[in-house]
Amino acid sequence: MAMRNHWTILYLLFILAALCGRGRELAAAEPASTEPASTEPESTEVAPTRHLILIAGQSNAVGFDAKPGELPASELDRQVRFWWRCGDPPPDEHDSLGRRWSHLQPQPLGRPKLPRENRQYGNFAQPEGGFGPEIGLARTLLTKQPSQPLAMVKAAFSGTGLRTDWDPASDGEAGSCYRALVQETRAAIKAAREDGDPVQLRAMVWVQGESDANAEDASRYEERLRAMLTSLRQDLQAPGLVVLLAVNTRFHEDRNEFVPRIVAAQTAVADADPRVEYVDTSQASIANPVHFDAAGTLEVGRLCADRLLQLEHDKLAARAKPADQVLAVWPDAPPGDSRKLASERDFTKPADRLIAGRRIIKLGNVAQPEAHLYLPPAEKRNGAAVVVCPGGGFHILAWDLEGTEVAEWLNSIGVTAIVLKYRVPTHGVEPPWLPPVQDAQRTISLVRAHADQWQIDVEKIGVLGFSAGAVTAARTALADRRLYVPQDEVDELPYRPNLAVLLYSGGLVNDARTALREDVKVTADAPPMFLTHAFDDRVPAESSVQLFLALKRVEVPAELHVFHAGGHGYGLRNHPQFPVTRWPRQCEAWLRQHKWLEPPAE
């Protein structure tokens, strides 16, 4: 009853807004054209989440000999939130401490313990303090990803080793630096959340190993490093944490035989873990046989940034599960499309913005549509199937974000998924949605033609789309005729889906956003629909709201979720601060309510 009252109120609010001529004020603060295909070449944007990168290790992570006076000025530093603790082991009141969020900067000298006995080094060699690889890292990332906000947490301590200071199994001094890293990271994340500027953990830069380059510790360095990284991921609840490993390879190079063994150990850890990368620092300049100088420290940061971007880029293709079967959508050339496109390819660049800490595959120049079949495990199959239409502004296809990752989720609930690689770009065609809708209509008929082979119930074939893909899905669900000349016997089978799921659809409302466009006709023959949008989406939420109201007027079952925040282009990737990314749970409940997830009758 509460939900019914909620949507009744929403209905009245929108009608009142239309009567008052204030429809535009109900849109997101950043208005967009009702034709996202022509205004946004890549409709995969999401409200930015500040990415958090950790800096940890020993003196070359501290930046012991990196003189602040030799650091070139940069306005980029003020864009980065920064939290630090660095000093001598064990962590104590003598450290250089930030203890609150500030902006990226060299760190001042702490209050070094005097006299400097045992392992007391005095924080930094210079009275004005120093800086570590965090500055070169941040400047490089911001230069290559200017729209991706960053935060850094630094917890580094000079002269420290894995056995003596970073042992996660030790409650004593041998684990003191490890505990400090975990505690500072947790405190920083909590403070960021309280500040209203939450962060998402992306990676850690680990610059350490010189203190383990000895006869006692080098032989077990690989084992200890693996154990430390395993514990860190568990303690920070970050199983996918990416780690960049580095050591000063020129550390006493003329008289230390163990540094190559540290390098070999870091390389072995990286080779065995796809989330870890070794960074070669041999070209970074040094101040002395132990430490990098200011230019070398900046270079180490730059090298780590480049390796991070390359690592994220290289792992894109490896993430996607291969399709069980790939079918050509058309028996010959697609209808009514004589354009000549360059070769199909992935347009993703290493410096592209991340979505929930990960890149996306951007397929473009698709001239030959394909249906990629993903079958759930036999014991889970319930007979339902969904054709998935990725978004991308009719320029590209967000192939993993809004395609293969969706197939994985559908398979997990027993639904067969068919990810449609439809034709893009289509901006030389009027209207630009026509070729994708033709591809979708044909694909639905194609799924029906294979229903027996794929164990699909012909009354449980749905369509799901995101952004421009949601425009494709909506127009496919609402079309009153086939939009191409039938090609063969496949086209004798119904082209309409039995159900539609539309995520942040655009291009369906008039310029005033008070009603659907004249060519978007909703009749009682339309299938049930599930719609999701964010209030702050640059593609106006009225596309979803007005479609919901039109469905309600003709008594077609529909469910609408408009969330306060979340932006655009999130797919299934979870953003803890944006409840909109929990839409799959609500969609699953809706599918169960419509009895789509029940096992087939014997």
Side-chain angles (χ1 to χ4, degrees), residues 217-536:
D217 295 311
S219 63
R220 297 190 60 189
Y221 186 83
E222 180 182 342
E223 170 195 344
R224 289 169 177 156
L225 182 59
R226 290 184 196 276
M228 191 271 286
L229 295 181
T230 298
S231 294
L232 186 66
R233 286 170 171 148
Q234 292 174 348
D235 289 338
L236 295 181
Q237 298 182 331
L241 179 68
V242 171
V243 180
L244 290 305
L245 303 176
V247 64
N248 180 5
T249 58
R250 300 168 68 185
F251 177 72
H252 290 300
E253 57 187 338
D254 57 340
R255 54 190 175 89
N256 189 307
E257 62 184 286
F258 297 100
V259 170
R261 295 175 66 175
I262 300 299
V263 171
Q266 290 190 352
T267 303
V269 172
D271 288 345
D273 188 336
R275 301 161 297 177
V276 178
E277 192 79 5
Y278 169 71
V279 180
D280 181 6
T281 66
S282 58
Q283 299 306 308
S285 55
I286 56 176
N288 50 56
V290 178
H291 298 132
F292 301 116
D293 59 15
T297 301
L298 283 171
E299 177 67 3
V300 171
R302 184 193 68 77
L303 290 168
C304 289
D306 286 344
R307 291 309 301 158
L308 174 61
L309 293 173
Q310 191 61 51
L311 174 67
E312 291 169 339
H313 182 262
D314 289 347
K315 300 307 176 186
L316 276 174
R319 282 205 313 267
K321 170 193 169 186
D324 294 293
Q325 190 175 345
V326 178
L327 286 77
V329 170
W330 301 98
D332 296 304
D337 193 349
S338 59
R339 296 173 303 139
K340 301 296 183 184
L341 299 176
S343 298
E344 178 182 316
R345 68 180 180 91
D346 179 3
F347 282 81
T348 309
K349 305 181 188 68
D352 281 349
R353 184 176 179 174
L354 306 183
I355 304 297
R358 293 155 55 193
R359 301 196 187 287
I360 63 173
I361 297 172
K362 300 175 182 178
L363 288 186
N365 293 339
V366 177
Q368 296 298 324
E370 295 175 344
H372 289 238
L373 173 70
Y374 293 85
L375 294 169
E379 67 276 9
K380 280 191 171 184
R381 292 180 197 173
N382 48 39
V386 170
V387 173
V388 180
C389 303
F394 297 121
H395 282 267
I396 55 94
L397 301 178
W399 187 248
D400 54 348
L401 176 72
E402 298 169 348
T404 58
E405 292 173 16
V406 182
E408 185 177 354
W409 165 65
L410 289 169
N411 284 177
S412 74
I413 58 175
V415 177
T416 296
I418 302 90
V419 182
L420 174 58
K421 186 194 289 186
Y422 58 81
R423 283 171 281 172
V424 289
T426 60
H427 290 289
V429 180
E430 283 298 331
W433 50 260
L434 179 58
V437 171
Q438 291 173 332
D439 296 342
Q441 288 183 326
R442 169 75 182 185
T443 299
I444 290 171
S445 294
L446 199 63
V447 173
R448 288 198 161 94
H450 288 82
D452 290 342
Q453 179 186 350
W454 297 342
Q455 300 176 27
I456 290 171
D457 183 342
V458 293
E459 299 301 321
K460 287 186 177 180
I461 298 175
V463 65
L464 182 154
F466 299 82
S467 192
V471 176
T472 300
R475 289 186 174 274
T476 300
L478 297 173
D480 59 1
R481 61 185 176 85
R482 196 178 291 273
L483 300 181
Y484 60 88
V485 176
Q487 307 286 300
D488 53 25
E489 66 277 2
V490 169
D491 291 325
E492 297 174 7
L493 299 171
Y495 63 85
R496 256 192 172 182
N498 304 105
L499 174 148
V501 176
L502 309 179
L503 289 302
Y504 41 88
S505 176
L508 300 179
V509 290
N510 60 20
D511 289 343
R513 304 180 187 172
T514 56
L516 295 174
R517 295 166 58 109
E518 289 186 3
D519 63 341
V520 179
K521 305 293 186 184
V522 178
T523 69
D525 294 329
M529 295 193 191
F530 177 95
L531 306 99
T532 294
H533 226 111
F535 185 80
D536 63 351

Side-chain angles (χ1 to χ4, degrees), residues 118-193:
N118 298 325
R119 294 195 295 160
Q120 298 300 312
Y121 307 102
N123 304 138
F124 298 99
Q126 311 301 319
E128 65 268 31
F131 63 92
E134 65 277 353
I135 293 183
L137 175 76
R139 290 180 180 182
T140 303
L141 290 176
L142 283 177
T143 298
K144 296 186 175 183
Q145 294 180 327
S147 60
Q148 179 56 63
L150 289 176
M152 301 271 178
V153 169
K154 178 177 178 177
F157 305 93
S158 296
T160 52
L162 287 174
R163 174 180 58 86
T164 55
D165 306 278
W166 296 92
D167 181 1
S170 171
D171 294 330
E173 187 169 314
S176 60
C177 291
Y178 174 83
R179 292 194 301 275
L181 171 60
V182 173
Q183 291 164 1
E184 295 299 325
T185 302
R186 288 174 174 170
I189 291 173
K190 181 174 183 289
R193 187 167 55 246

Side-chain angles (χ1 to χ4, degrees), residues 46-47 503-504 530-537 561-586:
V46 69
L503 289 302
Y504 41 88
F530 177 95
L531 306 99
T532 294
H533 226 111
F535 185 80
D536 63 351
D537 194 333
H561 297 268
V562 179
F563 293 83
H564 169 67
H568 191 83
Y570 33 81
L572 278 80
R573 297 185 186 175
N574 183 44
H575 291 258
Q577 68 272 33
F578 295 142
V580 69
T581 58
R582 300 174 196 157
W583 70 264
R585 303 180 200 171
Q586 293 152 333

Side-chain angles (χ1 to χ4, degrees), residues 14 17-18 21-24 27 31-36 475 506-520 539-547 553:
F14 269 89
R22 296 181 61 244
R24 289 187 180 275
S33 165
T34 55
E35 289 290 347
R475 289 186 174 274
L508 300 179
V509 290
N510 60 20
D511 289 343
R513 304 180 187 172
T514 56
L516 295 174
R517 295 166 58 109
E518 289 186 3
D519 63 341
V520 179
V539 174
E542 285 89 339
S543 273
S544 294
V545 172
Q546 294 295 348
L547 178 55
R553 282 192 287 269

